[in-house]
Amino acid sequence: MEQERKDKGLSRRGFLKGLGGGAIGTAVISTGLLNVEPAEAYTPEAVGTGRGKSLVNLKVNGRNYRVEVEHRSTLGEVLRDELGLTGTKIGCDRGECGACTVIVNGRNVYSCSQLAVWMEGKEILTIEGLAKGDKLDPLQQAFIENDGPQCGFCTSGQIMSGKALLLKNSQPTEAQARRALSGNLCRCGNYNREVAAVLAAAKTR
Ligand code: FES
Ligand code: FES
């Protein structure tokens, strides 16, 4: 896998950072970074039909967006398709695998199982929001150093669940780290390395 990435001119570090796609700039241009105004109201009844659209104010990775979303659209769909933040992966699209995990108001959630209209005014953190410029988040760095990513498909979700844990508990035990990642399936079976990465990141803090 590593050789494959090298062949394509991608380092493991670049790959991890690229899970974010570096797309924030594009997203801001394509969707418009606007001063937040109150969104138009949506009604639970309208959402229940799955029809119609509403304007929703989202704060994603510290930036404010005002986005028109279909009532049936999930947060994951809006992040990827409207904001261009494709670091959030969609695996099962039914709340089972955890690939789509993001942090909303400090809690890790499955973005495939949350409607975007429920996100009005909430603070959302995705994998793209972790690195500061060229400096990876310590948890991203720890995933590299501990061979956390294998195929990489689950990695951004694993990192976001690990990050949510570390935001609440800077010195977790191994059992706590395992439990925090228990909602994230890894088809490569790389669980021990992913847990090791979370514990290593905790040591650097
Ligand atoms: S894609 Fe959301 S839980 Fe699998
Ligand atoms: S690294 Fe392949 S699915 Fe987890």
Side-chain angles (χ1 to χ4, degrees), residues 163-174:
K163 183 72 181 177
L165 170 67
L166 294 173
L167 287 172
K168 285 182 296 202
N169 177 359
S170 63
Q171 295 299 317
T173 63
E174 181 180 340

Side-chain angles (χ1 to χ4, degrees), residues 70-123:
E70 288 190 39
H71 293 165
R72 64 184 176 180
S73 294
T74 66
L75 173 60
E77 288 170 335
V78 169
L79 289 172
R80 291 177 53 85
D81 302 338
E82 303 297 332
L83 305 189
L85 299 174
T86 54
T88 297
K89 305 303 179 194
I90 302 296
C92 65
D93 207 10
R94 56 196 296 177
E96 291 180 354
C97 73
C100 64
T101 302
V102 299
I103 297 177
V104 177
N105 284 359
R107 292 187 55 208
N108 50 327
V109 302
Y110 293 160
S111 64
C112 74
S113 303
Q114 299 286 317
L115 290 177
V117 291
W118 293 345
M119 296 297 120
E120 171 67 29
K122 296 191 175 165
E123 295 209 14

Side-chain angles (χ1 to χ4, degrees), residues 147-155 158 184-191 194:
D147 286 329
Q150 293 300 308
C151 80
F153 196 79
C154 74
T155 305
Q158 303 276 4
N184 294 79
L185 302 183
C186 176
R187 61 190 175 186
C188 299
N190 202 33
Y191 297 108
E194 289 148 359

Side-chain angles (χ1 to χ4, degrees), residues 131-150:
K132 302 289 177 255
D134 283 340
K135 190 166 171 50
L136 294 178
D137 184 274
L139 184 54
Q140 291 174 303
Q141 191 64 43
F143 262 71
I144 294 171
E145 290 166 5
N146 289 272
D147 286 329
Q150 293 300 308

